[in-house]
């Protein structure tokens, strides 16, 4: 029996896990989670005028003006300022230029502050004025002292600062002395972990001197300037300015640097520019894609993470996936290698990149053929939840392609997927797993008994019976049941498994897709009443319970004095038709004895197309709503036909078919009365 694609509703998954669904003939719409984007932030640090390795940090995790570090601060600052102090014994003092009075006064103020070890903000008042005096001095070592002090102060205290505090740092950034430059850029990078500072630095023209530093042959200058741009690029407002500044080309070039710290920062900056389609296209135009793929050969886990995350974001776009497919033949193999060998963090991101690539049919096949399945299965059993989420999401997309069903099932993954339905504490994993199973069932007409024998329905029932299960998970379960019930080998398990009692209350859900899927599954079981006495018995048992039973929602959907979505109304009419055609005396009597069901169907049969006012009353007439996204098939709602309806069918045609279905029911009732 072919599954009927048009009667599978939009999948109930969170916004962050849905994507435009790819249609395939005679199967339900595949479920494909939406590619995810990631953010990255760096905290460049230069201690005592010398560049050091860059440490990952976020603005939220930093201690602002840490009081517990006051003593350490003073020690750092004293070392930074010692060589300009009048109290310091410098053997080359006679060769130094004489300090102006204001410069000597500024030095004395700063040294006094350091020696008193008093908690103070250097971003305002007398301390800032003293530092600015040194920064604007014509004496190079005073500028270097100011730049070094700013870098160390900002390392400890990255609070929001004023324009007055940034001006001397930006001035120092333009010094011809490379040591002054990279200390100033380190200070900017430290301050740029704060959102307000990020924006202010760019607004004050900080990008241009940073780009000049990136072009410097000095590695230390490259490290700090690129690290600063990496931080600035985490603010959405800055991204377009960075892209237009000409920074992308030198960033791409520096990603190939022989210095690993430069590579890391450049890759991080490129990653931070991958969070919108416009910027991703600008990166592609700058030649970043082949560079990022080339960097997958690196042995550095941190660089691997930045690169795989950037590629994952680039793979969000269909055109970019095609570019990757046409120009980067080694990409899939490299990602699979990371899944097998790299750190957990890189494994997660490599799998998510494969998941995004697997939004395309060609990649779905290529990943399986390259051995991706063997790499994914161990990750489904990981004790690290994010790894299980990533692996289940990737498998969900791979299961879309019909040709992948056989290798996936032959891998022995079925029991593992079924057990994850109840064993995982993650809603995401549950949704990905049940959607993968749904795709595998819908992909062809082979015997699906192994799914039931693996305990699929026992696990699903446990979740549906658990009041703690989220609406998202329950909705995904209901969507899967609406597909499983169409399979000749599976519907008996749904019927005998007590699912009717669980589905009836869901017909009253406030979530339209969940409501529809529950109704559609019950309707499909009603279609089995003519061939199964057990179906007749179980349907009769849920006629008036639980929660009012079938008769309650059928009457509600058929009420003609209320706006009702035509699809829900069609399901109700079709269900009534199946109950009447069952020739079960009990079911026929229950339907005919109801005070409004047949009466309202008769009214629908005589209405012609529904009035314009009634159409406007429908709660789901906007784009993407049920009425616009689904169409009726043939002469009515028939999940057995296997023909794909026209999604663009006019509303008038839909209502005419609805009327025709109602007329068929009226004729059937008349025959039964004779």
């Amino acid at each position: 029996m072919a599954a009927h694609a048009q009667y599978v509703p939009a999948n109930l998954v969170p916004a962050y896990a849905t994507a435009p669904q790819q249609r395939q003939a005679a199967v339900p719409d595949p479920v494909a989670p939406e590619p995810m984007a990631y953010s990255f932030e760096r905290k460049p640090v230069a201690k005592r005028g010398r560049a050091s390795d860059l440490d990952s940090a976020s603005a939220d995790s930093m201690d602002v003006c840490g009081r517990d570090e006051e003593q350490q601060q003073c020690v750092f600052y004293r070392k930074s300022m010692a060589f300009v102090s009048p109290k310091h014994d410098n053997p080359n003092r006679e060769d130094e230029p004489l300090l102006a009075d204001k410069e000597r006064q500024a030095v004395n103020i700063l040294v006094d502050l350091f020696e008193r070890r008093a908690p103070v903000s250097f971003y305002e008042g007398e301390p800032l004025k003293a530092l600015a005096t040194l920064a604007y001095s014509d004496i190079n070592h005073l500028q270097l002292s100011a730049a070094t002090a700013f870098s160390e102060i900002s390392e400890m205290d990255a609070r929001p600062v004023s324009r007055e505090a940034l001006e001397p740092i930006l001035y120092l950034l333009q010094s011809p002395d490379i040591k002054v430059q990279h200390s100033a850029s380190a200070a900017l990078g430290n301050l740029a972990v704060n959102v307000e500072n990020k924006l202010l630095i760019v607004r004050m023209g900080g990008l241009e001197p940073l780009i000049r530093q990136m072009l410097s042959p000095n590695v230390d200058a490259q490290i700090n300037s690129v690290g600063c741009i990496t931080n600035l690029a985490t603010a959405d407002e800055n991204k377009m300015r960075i892209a237009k500044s000409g920074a992308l080309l030198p960033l791409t070039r520096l990603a190939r640097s022989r210095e690993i710290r430069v590579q890391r920062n450049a890759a991080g900056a490129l990653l931070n520019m991958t969070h919108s389609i416009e910027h991703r296209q600008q990166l592609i135009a700058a030649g970043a894609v082949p560079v990022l793929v080339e960097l997958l050969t690196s042995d550095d886990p941190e660089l691997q993470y930045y690169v795989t995350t950037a590629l994952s974001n680039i793979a969000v776009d269909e055109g970019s996936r095609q570019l990757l497919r046409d120009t980067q033949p080694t990409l899939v193999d490299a990602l699979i290698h990371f899944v097998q060998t790299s750190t957990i963090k890189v494994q997660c991101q490599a799998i998510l990149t494969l998941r995004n690539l697997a939004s395309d049919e060609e990649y779905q096949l290529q990943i399986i053929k390259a051995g991706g399945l063997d790499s994914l299965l161990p990750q489904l059993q990981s004790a690290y939840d994010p790894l299980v989420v990533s692996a289940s999401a990737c498998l969900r997309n791979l299961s879309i392609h019909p040709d992948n069903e056989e290798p996936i099932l032959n891998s022995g993954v079925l029991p593992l997927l079924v057990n994850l339905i109840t064993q995982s504490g993650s809603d995401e994993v549950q949704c990905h797993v049940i959607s993968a199973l749904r795709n595998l069932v819908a992909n062809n007409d082979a015997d699906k008994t192994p799914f039931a024998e693996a305990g699929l329905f026992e696990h699903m029932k446990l979740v549906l019976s658990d009041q703690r299960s989220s609406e998202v998970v329950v909705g995904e379960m209901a969507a899967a049941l609406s597909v499983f019930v169409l399979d000749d080998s599976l519907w008996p398990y749904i019927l005998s498994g007590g699912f009717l009692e669980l589905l009836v209350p869901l017909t009253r859900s406030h979530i339209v897709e969940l409501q529809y899927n529950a109704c559609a599954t019950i309707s499909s079981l009603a279609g089995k009443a003519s061939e199964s006495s057990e179906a007749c018995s179980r349907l009769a048992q849920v006629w008036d319970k639980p929660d009012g039973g079938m008769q309650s929602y059928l009457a509600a959907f058929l009420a003609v004095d209320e706006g009702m979505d035509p699809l829900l109304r069609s399901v109700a009419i079709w269900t009534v038709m199946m109950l009447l055609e069952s020739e079960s005396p009990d079911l026929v009597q229950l339907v005919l004895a109801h005070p409004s069901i047949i009466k309202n169907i008769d009214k629908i049969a005589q209405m012609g197309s529904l009035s314009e006012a009634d159409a406007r009353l429908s709660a789901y007439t906007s784009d993407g709503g049920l009425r616009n996204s689904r169409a009726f098939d043939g002469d009515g709602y028939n999940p057995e036909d296997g023909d794909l309806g026209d999604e663009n069918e006019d509303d008038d045609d839909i209502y005419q078919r609805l009327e025709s279905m109602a007329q068929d029911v009226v004729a059937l009732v008349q025959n039964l009365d004779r």
Side-chain angles (χ1 to χ4, degrees):
M1 176 181 65
H4 198 3
Q6 70 209 59
Y7 297 113
V8 179
N11 305 295
L12 292 183
V13 286
Y16 56 80
T18 59
Q21 299 176 353
Q22 308 166 30
R23 289 196 170 275
Q24 300 180 29
V27 297
D29 295 343
V31 278
E34 181 178 353
M36 293 189 291
Y38 292 83
S39 189
F40 164 85
E41 189 148 12
R42 303 290 296 168
K43 180 174 180 277
V45 178
K47 297 182 179 179
R48 293 176 290 284
R50 298 169 60 188
S52 66
D53 289 344
L54 304 182
D55 303 318
S56 296
S58 68
D60 293 336
S61 66
M62 290 187 60
D63 292 328
V64 178
C65 196
R67 301 302 182 189
D68 294 337
E69 298 172 342
E70 290 165 7
Q71 181 174 353
Q72 184 181 9
Q73 279 185 297
C74 293
V75 172
F76 281 161
Y77 303 156
R78 289 178 66 189
K79 289 182 179 179
S80 301
M81 301 299 297
F83 62 91
V84 300
S85 169
K87 303 176 183 179
H88 182 61
D89 185 15
N90 189 338
N92 299 320
R93 189 172 182 82
E94 294 181 358
D95 298 330
E96 293 180 356
L98 295 176
L99 304 184
D101 289 343
K102 64 178 181 179
E103 294 169 343
R104 188 173 300 278
Q105 183 181 7
V107 170
N108 289 331
I109 290 172
L110 293 171
V111 171
D112 183 62
L113 288 172
F114 298 154
E115 288 183 343
R116 287 194 289 113
R117 301 183 178 181
V120 64
S121 170
F122 287 86
Y123 299 128
E124 57 191 4
E126 191 175 51
L128 175 60
K129 184 178 179 181
L131 282 173
T133 297
L134 301 189
Y136 295 127
S137 172
D138 293 333
I139 300 176
N140 183 72
H141 67 261
L142 292 184
Q143 288 189 334
L144 180 57
S145 295
T148 305
F150 273 124
S151 70
E152 293 177 347
I153 291 165
S154 60
E155 179 185 348
M156 299 295 180
D157 183 358
R159 71 180 71 184
V161 299
S162 64
R163 297 179 68 92
E164 289 73 19
L166 284 178
E167 283 172 350
I169 302 176
L170 291 173
Y171 179 81
L172 292 168
L173 195 62
Q174 303 180 61
S175 168
D177 188 300
I178 196 65
K179 293 181 179 179
V180 175
Q181 287 180 20
H182 77 69
S183 290
S185 61
L188 284 181
N190 291 335
L191 291 173
V193 299
N194 178 276
V195 176
E196 292 91 339
N197 292 342
K198 298 178 203 288
L199 302 179
L200 188 56
I201 290 169
V202 173
R203 290 169 186 169
M204 292 178 65
L207 281 178
E208 184 177 347
L210 286 171
I211 292 173
R212 285 200 298 269
Q213 274 201 41
M214 284 199 301
L215 300 175
S216 168
N218 184 277
V219 171
D220 289 336
Q222 293 174 355
I223 291 171
N224 283 349
S225 58
V226 177
C228 184
I229 288 181
T230 300
N231 279 5
L232 296 176
T234 62
D236 290 339
E237 180 181 314
N238 289 344
K239 294 180 190 294
M240 183 55 68
R241 297 188 183 189
I242 291 173
K244 291 182 177 180
S245 70
L248 298 184
L249 284 173
L251 283 173
T252 300
R253 179 179 62 82
L254 289 174
R256 282 190 164 122
S257 170
R258 295 182 180 180
E259 168 57 55
I260 186 61
R261 294 173 295 173
V262 176
Q263 282 189 306
R264 289 173 183 165
N265 280 0
L270 295 175
L271 164 58
N272 281 346
M273 294 296 295
T274 61
H275 296 93
S276 75
I277 183 170
E278 182 177 7
H279 300 137
R280 290 192 289 269
Q281 294 305 310
Q282 290 167 333
L283 282 177
I284 290 173
V289 166
V291 175
L292 291 170
V293 174
E294 177 184 319
L295 292 177
L296 291 175
T297 59
S298 171
D299 294 330
D300 182 68
E302 190 173 351
L303 184 59
Q304 291 173 357
Y305 176 74
Y306 302 150
V307 171
T308 52
T309 307
L311 288 170
S312 176
N313 290 347
I314 289 172
V316 166
D317 310 317
E318 182 179 0
S320 299
R321 291 194 298 272
Q322 182 174 348
L323 174 69
L324 290 168
R325 188 170 61 249
D326 294 342
T327 64
Q328 305 301 324
T330 65
L331 175 57
V332 169
D333 289 336
L335 293 171
I336 292 175
H337 176 70
F338 282 169
V339 176
Q340 296 170 335
T341 62
S342 193
T343 64
I344 289 180
K345 187 169 70 169
V346 175
Q347 285 179 316
C348 281
Q349 199 51 56
I351 294 172
L352 289 174
T353 308
L354 290 170
R355 181 198 73 172
N356 288 351
L357 294 174
S359 297
D360 290 356
E361 288 187 2
E362 292 84 353
Y363 271 124
Q364 290 163 10
L365 293 172
Q366 183 181 347
I367 292 168
I368 293 290
K369 291 179 180 177
L373 189 59
D374 293 336
S375 301
L376 286 176
L377 298 190
Q379 316 312 327
L380 289 171
Q381 304 174 66
S382 171
Y384 183 58
D385 286 344
L387 200 53
V388 181
V389 172
S390 301
S392 58
C394 186
L395 188 62
R396 174 179 178 172
N397 275 11
L398 294 175
S399 68
I400 291 172
H401 203 292
D403 290 350
N404 285 344
E405 180 191 20
E406 183 176 352
I408 290 175
L409 293 179
N410 288 344
S411 71
V413 74
L414 182 57
L416 178 58
L417 292 178
V418 169
N419 288 333
L420 280 172
I421 295 174
T422 52
Q423 290 179 0
S424 174
S426 165
D427 288 356
E428 285 187 81
V429 171
Q430 288 179 309
C431 288
H432 293 324
V433 166
I434 195 63
S435 297
L437 291 167
R438 171 188 171 187
N439 287 338
L440 293 171
V441 166
N443 274 339
N444 62 47
D445 297 331
D447 179 36
K448 300 302 189 303
T449 302
F451 287 79
E453 293 176 343
L456 170 61
F457 295 108
E458 288 82 356
H459 285 272
M460 292 184 69
K461 187 175 181 180
L462 286 173
V463 174
L464 289 173
S465 302
D466 190 344
Q467 296 298 317
R468 298 168 298 178
S469 296
S470 70
E471 289 180 336
V472 171
V473 173
V474 171
E476 201 67 71
M477 295 284 177
L481 284 173
S482 70
V483 176
F484 297 158
V485 75
L486 303 179
D487 188 271
D488 283 337
S489 58
L490 296 183
W491 72 260
Y493 293 92
I494 298 174
L495 179 67
S496 61
F499 283 92
L500 278 170
E501 289 79 3
L502 298 173
L503 289 168
V504 167
L506 299 182
T507 64
R508 308 176 71 87
S509 172
H510 66 281
I511 301 175
V512 179
E513 292 87 352
L514 176 52
Q515 185 182 33
Y516 170 73
N517 282 326
C519 297
T521 303
I522 295 172
S523 180
S524 294
L525 291 175
K528 304 301 180 182
S530 60
E531 58 185 88
S532 168
S533 59
E534 182 183 2
C536 294
S537 174
R538 290 186 176 273
L539 289 165
Q541 290 173 11
V542 296
W543 178 252
D544 56 5
K545 60 183 179 182
D547 293 355
M550 291 176 59
Q551 59 87 25
S552 177
Y553 80 79
L554 290 174
F557 294 168
L558 294 170
V560 295
D561 57 343
E562 300 179 9
M564 176 54 61
D565 185 271
L567 183 58
L568 291 174
R569 182 166 283 165
S570 74
V571 174
I573 295 175
W574 184 262
T575 303
V576 171
M577 183 183 295
M578 293 298 97
L579 295 175
L580 294 175
E581 288 184 346
S582 70
E583 299 183 354
S584 164
D586 291 339
L587 292 178
V588 172
Q589 178 59 29
L590 289 171
V591 173
L592 296 180
H594 193 277
S596 67
I597 289 179
I598 298 301
K599 184 185 300 184
N600 284 335
I601 290 178
D602 185 56
K603 290 180 181 179
I604 295 171
Q606 299 178 41
M607 287 176 63
S609 62
L610 293 185
S611 68
E612 181 180 351
D614 189 42
R616 285 198 303 268
L617 282 172
S618 174
Y620 314 107
T621 57
S622 61
D623 288 345
L626 286 174
R627 194 172 76 190
N628 287 340
S629 63
R630 297 290 184 269
F632 299 154
D633 172 71
D635 294 328
Y637 172 83
N638 185 353
E640 304 286 344
D641 287 348
D643 296 327
L644 186 63
D646 181 5
E647 285 190 337
N648 298 317
E649 186 173 19
D650 292 339
D651 284 347
D652 287 345
D653 293 337
I654 294 175
Y655 289 121
Q656 287 171 7
R657 294 191 180 195
L658 184 60
E659 177 190 359
S660 176
M661 289 174 60
Q663 291 170 353
D664 289 343
V665 172
V666 171
L668 181 57
V669 171
Q670 291 172 349
N671 288 334
L672 292 172
D673 289 340
R674 292 174 184 172

